[in-house]
Amino acid sequence: MCGIVGYVGSKDALPILLESLKKLEYRGYDSSGVGFLDHDAHLIIRKAKGKIRNLEELIRSRPLPFACAGISHTRWATHGFPSDKNAHPHTDNKHTIAVVHNGIIENYQDLKAALKKKGCKFVSETDSEVIPHLIASFYKGDLLTAVRHAIAKLKGTFALGIISRDHPGMLIAARVGSPLIVGIGEHENFIASDVPAILDFTRRVIYLKDGQMAVLTRDKVELSTFDGKKVTPKIDTVSFNVVAARKEGYPYFMLKEIHEQPDVLKQMLSLRLKNKRLALEGLGLSDDILRRTRKVMVVACGTAYHAGLVGKYIIENLARLPVEVDTSSEFRYRNPIIDKHTLVLAVSQSGETADTLAASREARAKGAKVIAICNVVGSSLAREADGILYTYAGQEIGVASTKAYTAQLMMFYLVALKLAQARKSLSPKASKDLMAQLLRIPSLCTEILKDMHNIKKIAETNSHFGCFLFLGRHVNFPSAMEGALKLKEISYIPAEGYAAGEMKHGPIALIDEYRAVVCINPQSHVYEKMSSNMQEIRARRGNVIAIATRGDREIKSNADFVIEIPATPELLSPLLVALPLQMLAYFIAVKRGCDVDQPRNLAKSVTVE
């Protein structure tokens, strides 16, 4: 979850490290630091608690010399409070070796105890600090050999950047379970946790695989396995649009990404529905395999899990296949009943979510076919799955997922349609009609965004409530869960998403004049049931915000506030409902003065368990 950038080359490393690190701040912002080697091979470390601007202020107050190589880090705390001493880079006692680390070292306590017996003195509370001490304990003049010996002792996950004052022109990288890339430049080379960090400098990248390490100098990159076998690198050229990493006039990335959703969905459909025919390049499974599928399982975390819950309704409705949805962290520990006739859909925006990767590996080990639904090209999940369906939503910088969520939803409709066509559970006419309705969705989303000022007014009027309840039925029950998650993530207001039919089984006890209840009630076969729930809330003086179909006059008698969405078939309504839920959370958070893009305690990519 932390962000790493490293540089070796002919330019001054410090400004490159800082500018690149800012592009990774969504991965963690508890503290940050840089370590670099000047021309005289002095190892210099600067660290600061808080966001990267604090580190920049520290460096401005104490100017630093020209540096030819360096490493930098922005931290999301796992072991030890956010503080200067717990910030990275960490060094050995002789201040010879510096390390930045993303991941968790599970056996660090045993390693720390052993190193203390050898005389090592620790200054931080982190698990990461054992790494430079361990490397130093094996160091006999050959840094690469020492790193290999140290890595062999580590248990857990890690992406590492390592420099040494004895090797001023060298940068070493290694990974197990945490993402790390190598950037290839002209007389300079880079490492980074994610591609956007280095796009201003190069578009040629190597995606390190688990169990690989790289030795970088100014003019050369050499890859090998941990046991020393040389690896021929595969260099990819990134076609990513760097403009996506800028706010372009929006006050927050989250608002920009909310507004990008119509274009994202339109692009997805233009790639996947060609000449009124479904094209799922990357699926990697024949119609015969799809016909033999007896069960579908979805594994995901957070917002992707909610997309999977919607996917359950879609696939069961269209393809008539039983679907289970599991949080990845539970799936991997419960010995799930799956076999070669099970299709597993692993969903992750980043493709690096640790629990989802582990769930995917567990499923494949049991004989299931795994299809990844992912946004990041070349990610670990994409490389390991049997098939990969990219959502191509573009980089999402706001921690609270918006466009990635609706892109995942759209992909579930397309996968369900593919299954239905292969299994002949949907007539050709019904398939054609569904595709026509899907093609309308981007323009309908644009209509919703035009109502932004009304949603903002409703949000600000209700921003004082200390508790929210989100209710939905049928295909919009998961929408209620996602709406609650969005509000919790960025405003810190306690919120719960429930199936409305469960309200009388407990949640109704929460309702009084001090609670706001968001009721998702577009036109559907459960409309009257949901309206009854709304009446029960009003009878208990609850404050009702309704999301309803445009032109619904009846809804106004049951709600204090109404947000309208265009009419669409019931099964497709989650694609439209998502936008007002996102905007409601966004405007409430802004009104309360919260940092929308970087909410406390959260990071964009959860790469540790």
Side-chain angles (χ1 to χ4, degrees):
M1 291 159 73
C2 306
I4 289 172
V5 179
Y7 174 83
V8 58
S10 55
K11 299 174 185 173
D12 189 2
L14 186 59
I16 293 172
L17 293 173
L18 289 174
E19 286 306 310
S20 299
L21 201 62
K22 289 176 188 176
K23 297 181 177 66
L24 293 182
E25 196 167 15
Y26 62 86
R27 297 182 67 91
Y29 31 85
D30 294 334
S31 60
S32 60
V34 293
F36 56 92
L37 298 161
D38 65 14
H39 273 320
D40 295 320
H42 294 126
L43 178 56
I44 302 170
I45 306 290
R46 292 289 185 271
K47 304 193 283 188
K49 178 184 174 182
K51 297 187 178 182
I52 294 171
R53 62 174 176 263
N54 297 347
L55 177 64
E56 289 182 302
E57 289 171 6
L58 173 65
I59 292 172
R60 274 196 296 270
S61 67
R62 297 165 60 189
L64 297 168
F66 184 97
C68 57
I71 50 179
S72 59
H73 187 274
T74 182
R75 181 174 185 249
W76 186 87
T78 55
H79 296 76
F81 291 105
S83 65
D84 291 356
K85 70 176 182 179
N86 287 334
H88 297 220
H90 293 289
T91 69
D92 66 311
N93 290 149
K94 293 182 179 179
H95 214 65
T96 299
I97 296 163
V99 174
V100 288
H101 168 226
N102 175 29
I104 291 179
I105 305 304
E106 295 172 357
N107 62 333
Y108 85 98
Q109 290 180 323
D110 292 338
L111 293 172
K112 187 173 184 177
L115 289 164
K116 280 185 171 181
K117 288 182 179 177
K118 294 181 179 180
C120 292
K121 295 180 179 179
F122 287 76
V123 298
S124 80
E125 303 163 315
T126 70
D127 57 329
S128 306
E129 195 186 351
V130 301
I131 301 170
H133 289 297
L134 195 59
I135 295 171
S137 72
F138 289 111
Y139 182 62
K140 300 289 188 296
D142 185 336
L143 182 62
L144 183 59
T145 297
V147 171
R148 285 202 173 103
H149 285 312
I151 284 173
K153 298 289 185 180
L154 301 178
K155 294 180 182 178
T157 61
F158 53 84
L160 302 177
I162 304 160
I163 57 173
S164 168
R165 73 182 185 197
D166 293 346
H167 304 269
M170 178 188 292
L171 169 62
I172 295 178
R175 72 155 287 186
V176 169
S178 295
L180 198 62
I181 65 163
V182 174
I184 309 297
E186 294 292 329
H187 304 299
E188 59 185 2
N189 292 302
F190 310 80
I191 63 170
S193 298
D194 205 352
V195 170
I198 58 172
L199 280 181
D200 286 339
F201 308 103
T202 183
R203 290 181 176 270
R204 301 173 66 221
V205 301
I206 300 168
Y207 296 96
L208 283 187
K209 297 180 180 179
D210 273 359
Q212 288 184 348
M213 59 195 309
V215 178
L216 291 73
T217 58
R218 192 185 82 157
D219 296 309
K220 187 166 61 173
V221 173
E222 293 182 339
L223 264 62
S224 64
T225 60
F226 288 172
D227 58 4
K229 295 179 182 176
K230 292 206 175 291
V231 174
T232 301
K234 178 180 180 296
I235 301 175
D236 291 297
T237 300
V238 178
S239 58
F240 185 87
N241 181 9
V242 73
V243 173
R246 299 172 183 151
K247 292 180 181 175
E248 296 184 287
Y250 288 93
Y252 289 97
F253 280 110
M254 183 179 178
L255 186 60
K256 173 176 177 271
E257 289 155 8
I258 287 172
H259 280 265
E260 288 174 345
Q261 288 174 107
D263 287 339
V264 167
L265 297 178
K266 185 177 181 180
Q267 177 182 305
M268 278 188 72
L269 292 170
S270 70
L271 292 171
R272 302 298 188 178
L273 296 181
K274 298 178 180 178
N275 299 319
K276 298 181 181 180
R277 294 176 64 88
L278 180 62
L280 287 188
E281 287 91 351
L283 181 64
L285 300 181
S286 66
D287 283 1
D288 187 51
I289 291 175
L290 297 180
R291 279 190 290 271
R292 293 201 304 267
T293 297
R294 296 175 186 167
K295 180 173 69 173
V296 175
M297 295 197 73
V298 181
V299 291
C301 300
T303 286
Y305 171 71
H306 297 154
L309 290 172
V310 177
K312 173 183 172 70
Y313 286 92
I314 301 166
I315 294 170
E316 290 187 345
N317 185 294
L318 299 179
R320 307 307 300 154
L321 267 170
V323 181
E324 293 181 30
V325 187
D326 215 343
T327 53
S328 302
S329 56
E330 290 301 315
F331 177 92
R332 64 185 293 192
Y333 292 118
R334 71 175 178 85
N335 194 19
I337 302 171
I338 56 178
D339 57 25
K340 64 181 181 180
H341 298 295
T342 304
L343 175 63
V344 174
L345 301 175
V347 191
S348 168
Q349 187 280 140
S350 66
E352 302 293 349
T353 307
D355 286 318
T356 302
L357 277 167
S360 173
R361 292 163 185 158
E362 174 79 6
R364 294 191 76 198
K366 290 179 176 290
K369 295 293 186 183
V370 175
I371 302 299
I373 296 176
C374 178
N375 188 37
V376 179
V377 176
S379 62
S380 297
L381 185 62
R383 292 197 302 270
E384 294 183 17
D386 296 291
I388 171 65
L389 296 173
Y390 286 117
T391 54
Y392 296 120
Q395 187 189 15
E396 190 178 63
I397 294 176
V399 167
S401 183
T402 52
K403 62 179 181 176
Y405 173 67
T406 48
Q408 289 164 354
L409 288 182
M410 184 61 80
M411 189 58 75
F412 272 110
Y413 288 100
L414 299 177
V415 169
L417 182 57
K418 177 65 175 177
L419 286 165
Q421 290 176 347
R423 298 169 62 82
K424 302 188 185 306
S425 60
L426 206 61
S427 70
K429 182 181 183 305
S431 291
K432 184 178 178 180
D433 290 346
L434 178 60
M435 286 188 278
Q437 292 291 346
L438 287 172
L439 289 168
R440 293 180 62 240
I441 292 296
S443 63
L444 298 182
C445 288
T446 299
E447 290 182 32
I448 294 170
L449 292 172
K450 291 177 181 178
D451 194 36
M452 183 175 70
H453 294 295
N454 176 53
I455 299 172
K456 179 181 180 182
K457 184 177 179 181
I458 292 172
E460 291 179 347
T461 302
N462 291 275
S463 62
H464 66 284
F465 284 103
C467 177
F468 275 71
L469 188 63
F470 289 73
L471 298 176
R473 282 181 179 264
H474 191 243
V475 73
N476 279 308
F477 158 46
S479 298
M481 297 176 70
E482 174 61 12
L485 178 61
K486 283 290 149 289
L487 189 66
K488 284 185 284 192
E489 284 180 313
I490 62 174
S491 74
Y492 320 135
I493 297 174
E496 294 296 333
Y498 271 93
E502 291 294 295
M503 189 179 71
K504 290 189 284 293
H505 295 273
I508 198 168
L510 296 172
I511 296 171
D512 57 23
E513 64 269 32
Y514 304 108
R515 306 293 186 271
V517 186
V518 179
C519 295
I520 303 169
N521 197 18
Q523 290 296 325
S524 69
H525 77 289
V526 292
Y527 177 83
E528 295 299 336
K529 297 288 186 184
M530 192 71 206
S531 294
S532 295
N533 292 132
M534 294 169 66
Q535 291 169 12
E536 291 164 351
I537 296 164
R538 291 293 296 279
R540 287 155 181 84
R541 304 176 71 184
N543 193 69
V544 175
I545 303 168
I547 297 176
T549 303
R550 184 181 299 152
D552 184 349
R553 296 180 180 178
E554 180 184 336
I555 200 83
K556 295 180 181 178
S557 64
N558 295 325
D560 298 278
F561 305 91
V562 178
I563 299 171
E564 294 185 333
I565 62 172
T568 194
E570 176 183 0
L571 194 65
L572 305 188
S573 60
L575 284 163
L576 302 186
V577 165
L579 276 69
L581 290 173
Q582 293 165 359
M583 286 191 284
L584 193 67
Y586 170 83
F587 286 117
I588 288 174
V590 170
K591 179 66 174 177
R592 293 168 68 94
C594 300
D595 188 338
V596 172
D597 285 340
Q598 298 178 349
R600 68 188 184 205
N601 301 335
L602 297 179
K604 185 67 181 173
S605 181
V606 183
T607 59
V608 296
E609 184 180 355

